[in-house]
Amino acid sequence: MLSRKVAAQLRDYETPFYLYDINLLRQTLESVVYESNKYNYKVHYAIKANNDDYLLSIIREYGIGIDCASGNEVRKAIESGFDPKTVVYAGVGKRDKEIRYALEQEILAINCESIEELKVVNALAAEMGKMADVGLRVNPDIDPKTNRCIDTGQADSKFGISYEEILDNVDLIRSLENINIIGIHIHIGSQIRELHVFENMCNKANAIVEKLESLGFSFRIVDVGGGLGINYDVPENEPIPNFASLFAIVHEHLNVEGKEVHFEFGRSLVGECGELITSVLFNKTTATGRRLLIIDASMTELIRPMLYGSYHNIENITSQEERTTKYTVVGTACESTDVFDENVSLKRSQRGDLLAIKSAGAYGRSMASQYNMHDLPGAVYSDQLGK
């Protein structure tokens, strides 16, 4: 990864910080655009993964839309120069003021996740003299074979409207005069590495669209979400996710001829381009003989390992030692769960060495906090190193 190549230059920056490989980001964007254009698919970037201003400016260059999960994300997308007609807005708990803002901006679609939300959007649109373009987010009840913390498509999930509830409320939905239902939205989860799961999703989508259109609905858009995973284990082996295989699977199995097919990618676009760079503060051995490597990053900079039990590859990028030692890498937060990895083999590490925590471009800096009054982490971009 990039950090190993530019380790000497990174000494000039105060740790911890995020290092972004802009060349890799551009290669990833070029790949997703090239592969999606084969089928005329539409791609949106899930801004929750990373809302960094500079990264957004680059993503915008490639004609990609934005997928939002909050009103402030919608505002960020608009203020960052994205065309409102490429912005979609999902989320189970939209506030009235957020819905009003989305309606004012005339975004592509508000993806509604409950019957009551549909009624609220209809009422607010009527108050404003607007017609709301809406997608029905349907819960397809599919096991995405991923971490349960980021599984969004099984029957008991808080996300989406159950298919059965939609069938029970067809007349009510069609009676909402200020709603224009333009699409179906299905999202089954995140960090999906078993691509056959997407076949199941397509089959469910086919059945849902066919049934609802037989009941009088008409859809222009089928939004199949995202969820394509990245290689956290050995990121060097797969720096760019396999968009080609995913799109080929969807093309083969999704039978919605004449409709726009939309995708929402977050992690797969920015995950591998980011690394968290941190310094070793202290070595310490516990009474049980466990060797701790205490670094100046913590769960306040990257919470995924503590929140999800997620794995990130860690490398000492400045040690000149040939020998390796097994460490438990821990952060500075006043929490026992502030552990990045246990029993990880690293080059013998000492105070001042730089470590790179890899595959941290998604859900890293965007989930950072100031717990313990920590400073928020900064960012360094590869195309600005040394400037």
Side-chain angles (χ1 to χ4, degrees):
M1 304 301 276
L2 174 67
S3 60
R4 191 185 310 130
K5 301 174 185 176
V6 298
Q9 293 174 267
L10 300 182
R11 291 286 194 190
D12 297 333
Y13 300 92
E14 181 181 358
T15 55
F17 63 86
Y18 278 90
L19 172 68
Y20 293 114
D21 185 340
I22 300 304
N23 185 53
L24 178 56
L25 173 62
R26 288 188 178 279
Q27 290 176 357
T28 304
L29 293 168
E30 288 166 6
S31 175
V32 76
V33 169
Y34 175 78
E35 297 297 341
S36 62
N37 283 346
K38 292 179 180 178
Y39 311 102
N40 200 30
Y41 291 157
K42 309 295 184 184
V43 174
H44 304 264
Y45 168 60
I47 196 173
K48 63 182 176 287
N50 193 320
N51 56 28
D52 179 271
D53 288 336
Y54 187 48
L55 301 190
L56 288 176
S57 72
I58 294 169
I59 291 168
R60 191 179 65 244
E61 292 177 24
Y62 290 81
I64 290 172
I66 293 289
D67 162 56
C68 303
S70 76
N72 282 345
E73 289 185 357
V74 175
R75 187 178 298 275
K76 179 78 170 183
I78 301 300
E79 293 178 353
S80 297
F82 288 87
D83 181 350
K85 287 303 181 185
T86 68
V87 174
V88 293
Y89 177 21
V92 299
K94 304 178 187 74
R95 301 175 184 177
D96 288 9
K97 68 176 183 179
E98 296 174 317
I99 295 170
R100 287 193 181 96
Y101 179 76
L103 291 171
E104 287 169 358
Q105 298 302 315
E106 298 183 351
I107 66 171
L108 175 61
I110 299 174
N111 290 329
C112 291
E113 308 212 16
S114 68
I115 298 299
E116 189 162 9
E117 182 186 341
L118 284 166
K119 293 190 286 187
V120 169
V121 171
N122 181 68
L124 293 175
E127 287 176 14
M128 298 170 65
K130 297 262 188 190
M131 179 65 71
D133 288 333
V134 163
L136 295 177
R137 181 168 181 179
V138 182
N139 185 313
D141 190 18
I142 292 174
D143 182 357
K145 308 298 182 184
T146 188
N147 188 312
R148 65 177 182 81
C149 299
I150 48 179
D151 165 2
T152 63
Q154 295 203 63
D156 198 39
S157 169
K158 72 176 185 179
F159 297 97
I161 313 172
S162 76
Y163 176 53
E164 290 75 14
E165 189 175 14
I166 292 175
L167 295 182
D168 290 342
N169 287 275
V170 168
D171 291 340
L172 184 155
I173 295 170
R174 294 181 62 190
S175 74
L176 300 174
E177 296 181 351
N178 287 80
I179 277 184
N180 177 32
I181 295 177
I182 64 170
I184 284 286
H185 177 213
I186 295 172
H187 181 65
I188 58 176
S190 187
Q191 187 49 23
I192 299 169
R193 297 283 286 167
E194 298 183 29
L195 295 188
H196 67 84
V197 169
F198 292 105
E199 295 182 22
N200 298 337
M201 179 269 294
C202 289
N203 293 333
K204 280 287 183 77
N206 293 336
I208 290 169
V209 170
E210 182 179 2
K211 178 64 176 178
L212 293 183
E213 289 200 327
S214 74
L215 296 174
F217 291 100
S218 178
F219 304 118
R220 173 166 63 87
I221 293 170
V222 176
D223 185 335
V224 295
L228 180 63
I230 63 175
N231 190 337
Y232 282 103
D233 296 325
V234 191
E236 290 86 352
N237 287 356
E238 193 181 349
I240 299 174
N242 192 350
F243 297 110
S245 290
L246 170 58
F247 291 142
I249 287 171
V250 173
H251 179 68
E252 180 180 354
H253 294 278
L254 187 66
N255 300 317
V256 291
E257 187 175 352
K259 296 175 174 49
E260 294 179 15
V261 178
H262 291 232
F263 292 81
E264 303 159 0
F265 298 122
R267 179 194 324 270
S268 55
L269 296 186
V270 297
E272 295 292 23
C273 81
E275 301 174 77
L276 178 58
I277 308 301
T278 177
S279 297
V280 175
L281 292 176
F282 309 111
N283 275 270
K284 178 178 179 178
T285 304
T286 70
T288 62
R290 186 167 61 142
R291 300 194 62 156
L292 303 182
L293 200 62
I294 303 169
I295 60 176
D296 64 359
S298 73
M299 61 193 294
T300 61
E301 284 77 33
L302 180 63
I303 198 172
R304 294 187 70 256
M306 304 80 184
L307 185 64
Y308 305 144
S310 300
Y311 173 80
H312 287 262
N313 190 286
I314 303 175
E315 180 182 350
N316 187 321
I317 58 173
T318 56
S319 174
Q320 301 303 310
E321 293 274 354
E322 294 295 330
R323 293 174 296 172
T324 62
T325 298
K326 288 191 174 181
Y327 298 99
T328 293
V329 180
V330 302
T332 60
C334 191
E335 298 288 339
S336 296
T337 56
D338 188 24
V339 177
F340 286 97
D341 201 355
E342 298 191 36
N343 210 31
V344 56
S345 291
L346 297 173
K347 290 182 179 180
R348 296 285 293 269
S349 302
Q350 59 186 359
R351 178 175 171 81
D353 283 349
L354 294 183
L355 303 188
I357 303 176
K358 303 176 188 179
S359 310
Y363 307 105
R365 197 161 172 239
S366 64
M367 295 179 75
S369 76
Q370 292 186 287
Y371 178 57
N372 288 165
M373 295 188 70
H374 285 189
D375 293 329
L376 290 172
V380 174
Y381 310 98
S382 62
D383 58 352
Q384 298 174 14
L385 275 174
K387 294 182 180 180

